[in-house]
Amino acid sequence: MTTMQRELRLSLNQTQRVRLQSALQQLEEMTSLASAITVVADTIPVNHEDSILKGHGTSDLNGEVVATLCGVVERVNKLVYVRAQRARYKPEVGDIIVGRVIEVAPKRWRLEINFSQDAVLMLSSMNLPDGLQRRRTAVDELNMRSIFVENDVICAEVRGFQHDGSLHLQARSQKYGKLERGMLLTVPAYLVKRRKQHFHHLENYGVDLILGSNGFIWVGEHVDMNGENHILADQVSREDMADKSCVGQVTQEVHERITPLEIRTHICRVANSVRVLSALGFNLTVEVIVDTVEASISLNTDIKDILAAEFYVQTAEREVQRRVSLSRKKG
Amino acid sequence: MASLKRSAPEDSSPELSPPSKLPREASPVRLDEPVACLHDVSYPSGYAPPRRSRPATDKPSPPAREFPFELDPFQSEAIKCLDCGESVMVSAHTSAGKTVVALYAIAMSLRDHQRVIYTSPIKALSNQKYREFKEEFGDVGLMTGDVTIEPNASCLVMTTEIWRSMQYKGSEVMREVAWVIFDEVHYMRDRERGVVWEESIVMAPKNSRFVFLSATVPNAKEFADWVAKVHQQPCHIVYTDYRPTPLQHYIFPSGGNGLYLAVDEKGKFREDSFQKALNALVPAEGENKRDNGKWLKGLLAGKPREDSDIFKLVKMIIQRQYDPVIIFSFSKRECEFLAMQMAKLDLNEEDEKVNIETIFWSAMDILSDDDKKLPQVSNMLPLLKRGIGVHHSGLLPILKEVIEILFQEGLIKCLFATETFSIGLNMPAKTVVFTNVRKFDGDKFRWISSGEYIQMSGRAGRRGIDQRGICILMVDEKMEPSTAKLMLKGSADSLNSAFHLSYNMLLNQMRCEDGDPEQLLRNSFYQFQSDRALPDLEKQLKELKLERDSMVIEEEDSLKDYYNLLQQYRSLKNDVRGIVLSPKYCLPFLQPGRLARIQLVHDDKMPSFSSEERVTWGVILNFERIKGSADDRRPEDANYTVDLLARCHASKEGGMKKSIKIVPLSERGEPVVVSLPLSQVDSLSSIRLFIPKDLLPLEARENTLKKVSEVLSRFAKDGVPLLDPEEDMKVQSNSYKKAVRRIEALESLFDRHEIRNSPLIEQKLKVLHAKQELTARIKLVKKAMQSSTALAFKDELKARKRVLRRLGYITSEDVVELKGKVACEISTADELILTELMFSGILKDINLEEMVALLSCFVWQEKLQDAPKPRESLDLLYSQLQEIARRVANIQLDCKVQIDVENFVNSFRPDVMEAVYSWAKGSKFYEIMEIAQVFEGSLIRAIRRLEEVLQQLILASKSIGEVELESKFEDAVAKIKRDIVFAASLYL
């Protein structure tokens, strides 16, 4: 627990400290850490009579299986692997991630995604702004900066590792791509668990929430995607306007619109809730985040006070209650 | 369908659709050309055509490609659609020239710097098309499971499976492809692979356009409607059943000497000539000729004195200059046998022989010396030199290709082929012969369907060379003119969905954020077709309801009451009878001579409603246990039949079958001994007659029955004494007693029922019964409607997800777990079993060769009759595999997935384990051919598939981070990928 308090860097008064400590204590008791935790070079006990499969984070040393990572030993049938406790993000095919463009390179953008290497988004791995299905030309390559430039925040899907070991991303549909009018938060990647959905539209607040598996979280104004019709209509209108550089116009129009104050406050509130939860080391799911936001509203907590000591303690206590009720349900 | 606008001209408002797209029947381009094609468009609901403000003065852009010949109407019609940038489905015969449309689409895409994908169902076809396109356009690449050439080319030729997996993986091609060409799209009805087409079409990029090339299908419109709905874009249909060269259909009766014209080139069926042909059919002089399975022996004429039919026929064809000829038969062995019959024929000149030899050896050049000595290779050349070829899937791929080339060059005059030759590349002959009119389809022999006939006969007639194509049907048994007509002139098979779920599909769908298996199901052609059926069902329902309501019955309520009582009474009676006459009690009383009361079978389905049942009497002669039911059962549980002497009326039906009906004793009929199931015996009397020992003479039987009549008349007053169930037969079960008590109660109720005495009660009851039946039918229809409004496969989807959860492939929230990710990678073999096998560690334990041998069980499907068991170590592995398969199958069964466990377990065949083992050890191909008694081509195909599986396993082990296993798979690939098995295709 000391680590957590160190990270929190909060000025708690005496009662708050006691409350927080007891809440965290309770949480710790509830989570059974029975599964074996190893450190690097620990021998992982296996039954050598069976054949075993050595997965990630393991290695063979003098006939013994040893861990090469600190973490939890996981077993699936005969496969043994170590899941790192707090590591950088480790991409898997199909993950939804949020990243920041750090370089525009030939036919590709390089993105920082909190992985041990930069990810690559190929020009060919995303839909062209005109929505046409065609080969990428040199002109497209020259116009890459009109799509993304350095420091843009992008949402994409992990496509896989290429043969040279580089990580490639893709933007399957229109809902991937540049993210604007919002905040990017970075949390430890392990707090975001893989779910069926990573895109969330918080309708009550008019806010989009994207929980990137890499620990980058986007909170921004809701963009109406309205499916394919939107794109089709777009395409048609563009065809109408023929070659008049309509793309520029459209983007300009967008820029002229201003996010209303209300939405901006909502964005901040959601963002701060995420900050609290991540500082406390709780898993970030949309339910928990919405719950926290609602609590902050019902408690009349100011946006800035969400990050204050009292709300931290309350959030921790609420989490205790939530887990208690969960375990009761199960029991 | 309501959601789809029917595109008949009257309801697509003219201002909405540009005139060029108005559906219409294309008028023939030239008057002397009788070739018309049908052109129709399917619009998605609510579709507004984009207003292309292209001024009329604007010159139409020049065609993307000019052809050196005049286009047929259907071709130019289809190309017009392409020029508008809209999808098109072309449905025409194989030889009609659909490729032109594909070529145009490719040329167009290349012009516009777009990518174009061409998919075909078969690797060989992809190879051939690749070559064709490569010569034509240059910028062409090829991707099949075996080879990848220039994957960055603008035009990519691939198999449909590859295209599907590219879509799942989100290849960049998906964002650049403007046109997707699906060749032979009628493959969609293939039971095993058809689903791949549906997946690929549903998942295809939203803004791409399609060209579907298909054989003639009657429901092309339905297919286009589906595409229009799924992709929200108009889809044109261009349909023609025009053949560039008309066909004549002849019949060659087996044993006969001549050809009889059955259908002339105008499509007229010649009844008289057909009858003549059948009369000329020499009745099989053999014993086994009638037997379909062995007809071959007859055909082969194991008698040296006479030439076999096929020899006579081929000779005749050559004499009449009907060559080249393709002779279709339905099995590989048959093909080879028939070709061997031609030993005496030599159809080629000397210079042709030299030519063949050069082509042959230059093709075989890529083989190693050892492989050149393979019997299949060395035996083939003499045959080819005489102008005779064989073509089936059991051949070495390279031989198959050489033969195709030789055939195209006209150096093979007579080609024996299986059905596979009828799909794909344009390789026509003047004449097509069918050696049999029946085909074995897995479990029985059946007539060739008209669709198959159309496909195969499509090979007859070379465009521009022959005036007409000739089809010859060898008939070896009588067939009805109607059957023949149906086969020769029937319509093409319609395109029906063969959709089914697979775990790999589900996992891949669940893995990506947008993916949703339910969405796929909702968009499937299967769902579309069943939605279509809905209005029909509704109509049916309405009619049934109307009919029911039109039946008015007086006093319906009380009548119904009575009816219900009757039903109850009847079922109780049946119960009692069932108990009394269960083998346990009645077996001791089934002695010969005992009189038994028999229930009469009503043929009019309308039960009588008097409480009297229609019965008659007969004499028991014997009883027998039905064989086939498991023999280890106790005697009282088995089923029995009783042989009875009774008066019967025998009627002949259809000349073939005699149907025997038991009639009451007083009626006319013959005394016949019949076997009846025990359930038809109503009750047993306590009387036994003496029966003569020999019942063969008619009088003896007649006399016995007379005695029965006498007995009956003697007891006419108070009925024939029956065996008392309790006293005589010692029936002592509670259920019996209960049932008897209830019957008594019911009987008293009957007496009190007043309606019983009303006149015409019988008729009234009949009407009521009819009404009840209608109600039941309405219920059925309603149920059918419900199941088609509900999402098809919904239950199965649930069940399969349950399986995945149980096995730990996905979490309860449908997030794909580690095991699921492994299974995602495996698409060419059973993904569950292979994943389980991998996670069980077996693959890691064993040495490389054993592993390869074990994996061969996944890719070998043919069942060999007398394959020797593999060596012990391999057999052990095989049984481990079976164990896993059984476990997984049982889990599936538990989760309510329909599966036959034993069948599933046995679908993994160990037959080629030994051969593959020694192939991995480094043996020569001729050596492993000695081990496995299989066709060369089949084994090669299996090993190639095995390599594909290994590649997928490499990816899978990469994803779990197991490095040793990964390198083991890589080594395995290196070990098996060599020599003749992976010899490059001649087309590349």
Side-chain angles (χ1 to χ4, degrees):
Chain A
M1 266 336 100
T2 46
T3 49
M4 195 156 278
Q5 275 161 0
R6 210 184 311 135
E7 277 170 26
L8 285 178
R9 274 194 220 109
L10 280 172
S11 51
L12 298 162
N13 62 30
Q14 192 53 43
T15 39
Q16 280 169 339
R17 180 168 295 129
V18 173
R19 276 165 63 202
L20 184 62
Q21 241 156 16
S22 82
L24 293 177
Q25 191 74 41
Q26 270 178 292
L27 282 175
E28 195 182 11
E29 279 160 13
M30 260 179 271
T31 40
S32 54
L33 284 174
S35 46
I37 288 193
T38 60
V39 292
V40 175
D42 262 5
T43 306
I44 301 171
V46 289
N47 184 357
H48 280 281
E49 270 158 37
D50 290 346
S51 50
I52 51 127
L53 300 166
K54 297 186 286 292
H56 293 295
T58 61
S59 187
D60 200 27
L61 188 73
N62 304 330
E64 295 282 317
V65 181
V66 291
T68 57
L69 287 172
C70 292
V72 182
V73 178
E74 299 268 359
R75 289 165 202 265
V76 181
N77 297 10
K78 295 284 167 62
L79 175 75
V80 178
Y81 68 96
V82 179
R83 187 164 51 81
Q85 202 48 347
R86 302 182 156 208
R88 271 179 179 271
Y89 165 61
K90 202 176 134 296
E92 279 179 35
V93 179
D95 281 354
I96 307 295
I97 55 103
V98 176
R100 198 185 275 284
V101 176
I102 52 171
E103 186 189 351
V104 183
K107 287 186 192 165
R108 72 199 68 198
W109 292 274
R110 282 186 203 291
L111 273 74
E112 154 61 22
I113 60 159
N114 192 26
F115 177 43
S116 51
Q117 66 189 47
D118 293 334
V120 172
L121 177 65
M122 299 293 290
L123 173 59
S124 56
S125 295
M126 62 167 302
N127 293 312
L128 288 179
D130 60 3
L132 284 184
Q133 296 274 349
R134 59 177 170 83
R135 303 215 69 168
R136 276 45 171 164
T137 59
V139 180
D140 290 323
E141 220 176 307
L142 289 173
N143 288 335
M144 274 174 67
R145 279 180 182 279
S146 71
I147 305 176
F148 306 133
V149 292
E150 285 88 347
N151 293 327
D152 274 354
V153 179
I154 290 176
C155 166
E157 182 187 322
V158 175
R159 197 181 135 201
F161 290 91
Q162 294 307 100
H163 290 293
D164 58 359
S166 61
L167 179 72
H168 277 224
L169 305 175
Q170 62 171 338
R172 263 182 207 266
S173 65
Q174 231 44 26
K175 78 177 178 189
Y176 300 92
K178 186 144 135 185
L179 301 171
E180 286 171 306
R181 300 157 183 282
M183 307 171 85
L184 178 69
L185 306 167
T186 31
V187 301
Y190 65 88
L191 292 181
V192 182
K193 292 278 177 279
R194 288 184 181 91
R195 294 285 290 266
K196 188 74 199 131
Q197 279 290 323
H198 287 259
F199 288 83
H200 303 284
H201 174 206
L202 310 183
E203 279 168 31
N204 294 347
Y205 309 103
V207 165
D208 275 342
L209 175 69
I210 302 174
L211 300 171
S213 297
N214 57 338
F216 285 17
I217 290 175
W218 176 259
V219 189
E221 187 191 352
H222 176 62
V223 185
D224 197 17
M225 209 50 87
N226 228 346
E228 286 74 41
N229 296 340
H230 174 76
I231 307 161
L232 277 179
D234 226 31
Q235 203 184 319
V236 172
S237 71
R238 277 189 189 128
E239 272 172 30
D240 280 346
M241 282 185 255
D243 293 330
K244 290 172 224 159
S245 57
C246 58
V247 184
Q249 282 181 3
V250 171
T251 38
Q252 243 172 20
E253 269 169 46
V254 173
H255 278 298
E256 278 160 22
R257 255 182 48 245
I258 294 169
T259 311
L261 177 66
E262 193 197 356
I263 302 268
R264 278 183 281 163
T265 54
H266 285 323
I267 290 173
C268 293
R269 188 174 288 275
V270 175
N272 273 355
S273 306
V274 172
R275 286 194 181 105
V276 175
L277 290 167
S278 83
L280 285 167
F282 296 157
N283 279 343
L284 293 170
T285 62
V286 68
E287 293 84 14
V288 174
I289 294 171
V290 170
D291 196 43
T292 313
V293 172
E294 276 166 4
S296 79
I297 292 173
S298 64
L299 289 170
N300 268 333
T301 315
D302 260 0
I303 292 172
K304 67 172 168 38
D305 290 337
I306 292 178
L307 295 178
E310 179 59 25
F311 195 72
Y312 267 92
V313 177
Q314 284 167 351
T315 306
E317 284 170 344
R318 220 177 18 259
E319 179 73 9
V320 173
Q321 281 164 14
R322 195 178 69 87
R323 292 208 197 162
V324 166
S325 72
L326 257 184
S327 62
R328 263 194 213 131
K329 253 183 223 164
K330 272 182 195 164
Chain B
M1 235 192 105
S3 69
L4 268 165
K5 197 196 264 176
R6 279 284 174 184
S7 47
E10 52 271 21
D11 63 20
S12 63
S13 40
E15 68 269 13
L16 265 180
S17 327
S20 72
K21 279 190 299 212
L22 265 187
R24 70 203 145 96
E25 195 146 326
S27 52
V29 170
R30 280 178 297 155
L31 279 176
D32 58 342
E33 185 112 331
V35 188
C37 68
L38 287 167
H39 181 195
D40 204 345
V41 197
S42 301
Y43 289 106
S45 61
Y47 174 78
R51 260 169 255 278
R52 251 169 262 257
S53 48
R54 197 178 285 154
T57 50
D58 206 359
K59 264 192 300 188
S61 52
R65 188 189 151 84
E66 311 263 3
F67 293 93
F69 46 85
E70 195 170 337
L71 294 178
D72 284 336
F74 87 91
Q75 291 168 335
S76 53
E77 203 62 39
I79 285 175
K80 243 186 261 170
C81 307
L82 297 186
D83 268 333
C84 296
E86 290 182 357
S87 300
V88 64
M89 152 111 184
V90 182
S91 176
H93 288 299
T94 322
S95 52
K98 285 171 291 193
T99 316
V100 167
V101 184
L103 286 175
Y104 193 86
I106 295 173
M108 221 167 67
S109 309
L110 294 185
R111 181 192 65 189
D112 301 342
H113 306 290
Q114 294 169 322
R115 279 228 208 203
V116 55
I117 304 268
Y118 173 95
T119 75
S120 80
I122 297 166
K123 274 183 204 162
L125 188 61
S126 297
N127 290 343
Q128 291 160 358
K129 287 288 179 190
Y130 165 73
R131 189 191 182 87
E132 198 183 324
F133 296 156
K134 184 87 188 167
E135 279 167 9
E136 198 77 46
F137 301 106
D139 189 10
V140 181
L142 174 70
M143 295 171 96
T144 61
D146 298 342
V147 270
T148 303
I149 302 169
E150 290 187 59
N152 277 321
S154 294
C155 171
L156 286 178
V157 178
M158 56 180 80
T159 52
T160 317
E161 271 83 357
I162 301 277
W163 173 228
R164 173 185 61 167
S165 73
M166 279 175 87
Q167 291 186 311
Y168 274 132
K169 288 198 182 119
S171 155
E172 68 261 36
V173 174
M174 276 190 64
R175 279 171 211 89
E176 300 178 346
V177 59
W179 289 90
V180 188
I181 305 166
F182 288 93
D183 201 354
E184 313 274 350
V185 77
H186 54 271
Y187 236 78
M188 205 162 108
R189 58 178 164 231
D190 187 272
R191 225 187 310 164
E192 206 175 310
R193 295 173 57 204
V195 59
V196 178
W197 274 257
E198 280 188 57
E199 278 177 84
S200 328
I201 294 172
V202 171
M203 289 190 304
K206 286 284 157 298
N207 294 331
S208 56
R209 298 283 177 269
F210 307 94
V211 178
F212 302 104
L213 307 178
S214 126
T216 48
V217 287
N219 60 340
K221 170 78 179 156
E222 190 178 26
F223 179 83
D225 285 348
W226 170 61
V227 174
K229 185 186 168 212
V230 170
H231 281 281
Q232 290 295 307
Q233 54 168 273
C235 181
H236 297 250
I237 306 111
V238 176
Y239 178 93
T240 179
D241 48 12
Y242 148 76
R243 283 184 190 281
T245 39
L247 290 186
Q248 283 182 330
H249 304 267
Y250 290 91
I251 285 183
F252 180 90
S254 80
N257 280 317
L259 294 177
Y260 297 84
L261 185 64
V263 178
D264 62 17
E265 58 261 59
K266 301 215 173 62
K268 200 169 151 274
F269 190 79
R270 301 273 186 95
E271 207 96 28
D272 50 332
S273 156
F274 177 78
Q275 278 309 335
K276 256 189 239 163
L278 288 193
N279 292 339
L281 189 63
V282 175
E285 57 216 81
E287 39 307 311
N288 45 18
K289 233 189 155 175
R290 290 209 64 82
D291 192 343
N292 272 321
K294 291 174 188 155
W295 71 279
L296 220 149
K297 283 181 192 149
L299 191 75
L300 287 175
K303 10 185 173 166
R305 58 189 161 83
E306 202 183 301
D307 292 331
S308 63
D309 280 346
I310 190 77
F311 185 79
K312 275 193 285 185
L313 180 61
V314 171
K315 227 160 97 182
M316 187 186 330
I317 287 170
I318 302 297
Q319 273 163 5
R320 296 196 189 177
Q321 297 191 317
Y322 281 175
D323 60 310
V325 54
I326 302 171
I327 298 166
F328 282 115
S329 45
F330 294 111
S331 87
K332 296 173 228 169
R333 302 241 175 246
E334 206 178 300
C335 251
E336 302 220 315
F337 271 129
L338 295 180
M340 290 307 151
Q341 297 282 297
M342 301 297 121
K344 277 181 265 173
L345 277 182
D346 189 347
L347 311 174
N348 273 346
E349 308 291 326
E350 273 314 308
D351 56 328
E352 287 176 317
K353 285 186 186 177
V354 176
N355 243 335
I356 289 175
E357 189 144 8
T358 342
I359 296 177
F360 187 81
W361 285 120
S362 61
M364 294 301 137
D365 221 26
I366 44 173
L367 298 187
S368 68
D369 285 343
D370 285 321
D371 291 336
K372 279 182 198 162
K373 284 188 207 121
L374 276 170
Q376 202 178 55
V377 176
S378 50
N379 291 346
M380 193 58 78
L381 185 60
L383 205 59
L384 294 175
K385 271 163 89 175
R386 285 188 277 115
I388 293 160
V390 180
H391 188 281
H392 57 72
S393 59
L395 290 184
L396 294 166
I398 191 161
L399 273 181
K400 231 161 77 174
E401 289 173 352
V402 169
I403 289 164
E404 282 161 14
I405 290 168
L406 291 174
F407 184 78
Q408 278 173 313
E409 296 295 323
L411 293 169
I412 289 179
K413 305 292 184 338
C414 172
L415 181 67
F416 292 87
T418 49
E419 216 178 336
T420 43
F421 193 73
S422 68
I423 343 170
L425 211 62
N426 197 16
M427 280 191 279
K430 177 156 186 169
T431 308
V432 164
V433 175
F434 295 81
T435 54
N436 200 355
V437 283
R438 280 168 178 270
K439 170 187 175 181
F440 188 71
D441 68 346
D443 41 46
K444 60 177 192 303
F445 277 90
R446 59 166 173 84
W447 300 106
I448 310 172
S449 82
S450 62
E452 287 163 336
Y453 186 82
I454 288 172
Q455 180 78 31
M456 282 188 265
S457 62
R459 286 275 172 242
R462 291 163 297 172
R463 188 174 198 166
I465 303 174
D466 301 320
Q467 289 282 307
R468 51 187 204 274
I470 292 162
C471 283
I472 300 171
L473 210 52
M474 293 178 73
V475 178
D476 65 337
E477 59 187 305
K478 291 267 183 199
M479 64 196 281
E480 299 288 317
S482 58
T483 322
K485 227 185 258 179
L486 209 67
M487 189 158 93
L488 266 49
K489 294 193 60 202
S491 66
D493 298 337
S494 61
L495 187 57
N496 287 325
S497 171
F499 192 85
H500 58 86
L501 294 173
S502 75
Y503 293 105
N504 183 273
M505 177 205 286
L506 295 187
L507 288 168
N508 268 311
Q509 287 280 343
M510 279 189 265
R511 176 149 78 155
C512 60
E513 163 106 6
D514 302 332
D516 178 6
E518 274 193 32
Q519 193 61 31
L520 180 68
L521 293 184
R522 208 164 291 128
N523 280 331
S524 68
F525 191 40
Y526 187 94
Q527 181 73 28
F528 185 77
Q529 285 191 314
S530 65
D531 283 352
R532 276 266 158 125
L534 208 56
D536 269 355
L537 287 175
E538 266 167 17
K539 214 173 104 197
Q540 215 179 330
L541 185 68
K542 222 185 231 165
E543 278 166 12
L544 283 176
K545 271 191 177 158
L546 216 71
E547 198 183 332
R548 186 187 62 178
D549 294 344
S550 68
M551 287 177 159
V552 185
I553 304 170
E554 297 164 43
E555 295 180 83
E556 192 172 333
D557 288 341
S558 73
L559 194 64
K560 211 180 221 166
D561 196 34
Y562 184 60
Y563 176 85
N564 287 342
L565 280 181
L566 260 181
Q567 297 285 46
Q568 267 182 47
Y569 178 70
R570 198 172 301 230
S571 77
L572 273 174
K573 273 267 184 189
N574 253 334
D575 287 352
V576 169
R577 206 189 55 78
I579 296 168
V580 174
L581 288 181
S582 61
K584 188 174 158 196
Y585 296 119
C586 79
L587 278 190
F589 297 93
L590 294 176
Q591 302 112 319
R594 185 173 298 283
L595 283 186
R597 198 156 66 176
I598 315 160
Q599 282 176 334
L600 292 179
V601 187
H602 317 283
D603 26 318
D604 52 353
K605 293 268 161 63
M606 190 65 92
S608 70
F609 288 94
S610 51
S611 33
E612 295 292 304
E613 299 206 46
R614 295 182 62 194
V615 288
T616 186
W617 291 88
V619 185
I620 294 179
L621 299 176
N622 196 4
F623 68 92
E624 226 178 307
R625 192 162 150 183
I626 296 176
K627 285 184 194 116
S629 51
D631 290 327
D632 50 339
R633 283 201 271 175
R634 289 174 303 158
E636 49 262 46
D637 293 340
N639 289 322
Y640 290 87
T641 59
V642 184
D643 292 341
L644 280 156
L645 176 68
R647 193 169 290 280
C648 292
H649 180 70
S651 61
K652 284 198 173 184
E653 266 174 26
M656 294 293 286
K657 278 180 243 152
K658 261 208 290 192
S659 74
I660 290 176
K661 212 178 95 190
I662 303 173
V663 294
L665 281 170
S666 51
E667 281 179 36
R668 270 171 36 125
E670 300 162 45
V672 178
V673 178
V674 285
S675 273
L676 294 175
L678 197 50
S679 59
Q680 222 181 314
V681 176
D682 186 62
S683 52
L684 302 171
S685 79
S686 55
I687 296 167
R688 275 181 72 187
L689 293 179
F690 171 76
I691 43 169
K693 273 197 184 116
D694 188 10
L695 280 173
L696 234 44
L698 185 68
E699 299 113 80
R701 279 178 285 164
E702 195 68 65
N703 284 336
T704 317
L705 277 194
K706 256 183 209 155
K707 269 194 223 159
V708 175
S709 307
E710 265 169 46
V711 171
L712 289 181
S713 60
R714 204 184 308 157
F715 289 102
K717 228 191 264 168
D718 20 61
V720 183
L722 298 177
L723 283 177
D724 189 279
E726 279 174 70
E727 277 176 27
D728 298 333
M729 295 174 79
K730 314 277 184 252
V731 178
Q732 282 159 337
S733 83
N734 277 335
S735 48
Y736 167 76
K737 284 178 190 155
K738 229 183 256 168
V740 170
R741 243 174 280 139
R742 285 191 58 200
I743 287 180
E744 280 163 12
L746 275 178
E747 272 168 353
S748 66
L749 269 179
F750 274 140
D751 293 338
R752 262 182 271 151
H753 225 286
E754 47 208 71
I755 202 154
R756 190 183 169 173
N757 302 320
S758 83
L760 296 176
I761 177 76
E762 190 85 345
Q763 272 89 334
K764 275 188 186 169
L765 278 172
K766 271 188 184 163
V767 174
L768 186 70
H769 179 74
K771 197 166 176 176
Q772 298 281 14
E773 296 237 300
L774 273 179
T775 317
R777 266 175 68 196
I778 288 173
K779 237 186 217 164
L780 269 181
V781 171
K782 269 190 184 156
K783 210 171 166 193
M785 274 173 68
Q786 222 164 34
S787 69
S788 63
T789 34
L791 189 60
F793 294 107
K794 196 168 184 184
D795 293 339
E796 199 190 333
L797 176 69
K798 263 195 206 151
R800 285 189 181 243
K801 275 191 181 174
R802 243 183 331 249
V803 174
L804 289 175
R805 256 173 238 140
R806 266 273 205 89
L807 290 169
Y809 285 60
I810 55 173
T811 65
S812 51
E813 286 165 328
D814 286 358
V815 178
V816 178
E817 294 255 53
L818 194 66
K819 269 168 119 179
K821 284 188 174 156
V822 167
C824 267
E825 305 285 349
I826 298 160
S827 57
T828 41
D830 192 293
E831 54 275 13
L832 288 195
I833 311 298
L834 207 44
T835 310
E836 289 297 314
L837 195 65
M838 193 161 149
F839 276 94
S840 71
I842 293 176
L843 292 182
K844 189 156 182 192
D845 235 8
I846 53 187
N847 66 36
L848 194 144
E849 289 81 14
E850 285 170 341
M851 179 187 79
V852 175
L854 180 59
L855 292 176
S856 77
C857 304
F858 286 88
V859 294
W860 184 260
Q861 280 143 340
E862 279 173 50
K863 197 167 181 174
L864 295 188
Q865 286 307 330
D866 42 3
K869 264 191 152 190
R871 74 188 67 182
E872 205 178 315
S873 64
L874 294 184
D875 201 36
L876 198 74
L877 288 176
Y878 176 62
S879 52
Q880 278 177 306
L881 167 65
Q882 281 190 314
E883 210 175 282
I884 292 177
R886 187 164 292 124
R887 184 168 59 81
V888 174
N890 278 325
I891 289 178
Q892 296 193 39
L893 203 62
D894 282 353
C895 295
K896 301 206 175 69
V897 173
Q898 303 260 326
I899 189 170
D900 181 342
V901 176
E902 283 312 303
N903 246 346
F904 179 73
V905 170
N906 287 322
S907 69
F908 299 94
R909 305 299 315 158
D911 303 336
V912 292
M913 280 178 98
E914 275 293 337
V916 173
Y917 181 81
S918 57
W919 179 250
K921 274 252 185 232
S923 307
K924 301 266 184 255
F925 192 69
Y926 69 88
E927 288 168 348
I928 70 164
M929 278 318 297
E930 282 162 14
I931 301 172
Q933 297 302 313
V934 295
F935 272 111
E936 286 84 346
S938 313
L939 188 57
I940 286 187
R941 228 166 324 117
I943 297 179
R944 285 185 179 179
R945 239 182 101 187
L946 182 58
E947 195 257 352
E948 253 177 78
V949 172
L950 282 170
Q951 294 288 5
Q952 292 166 359
L953 285 173
I954 291 175
L955 287 180
S957 43
K958 210 176 246 166
S959 71
I960 58 169
E962 168 54 275
V963 193
E964 280 172 46
L965 204 53
E966 188 184 328
S967 62
K968 191 168 174 182
F969 289 134
E970 268 164 4
D971 289 346
V973 170
K975 279 264 167 71
I976 64 166
K977 200 168 181 179
R978 62 190 164 85
D979 295 350
I980 190 170
V981 175
F982 287 87
S985 161
L986 293 178
Y987 289 104
L988 305 179

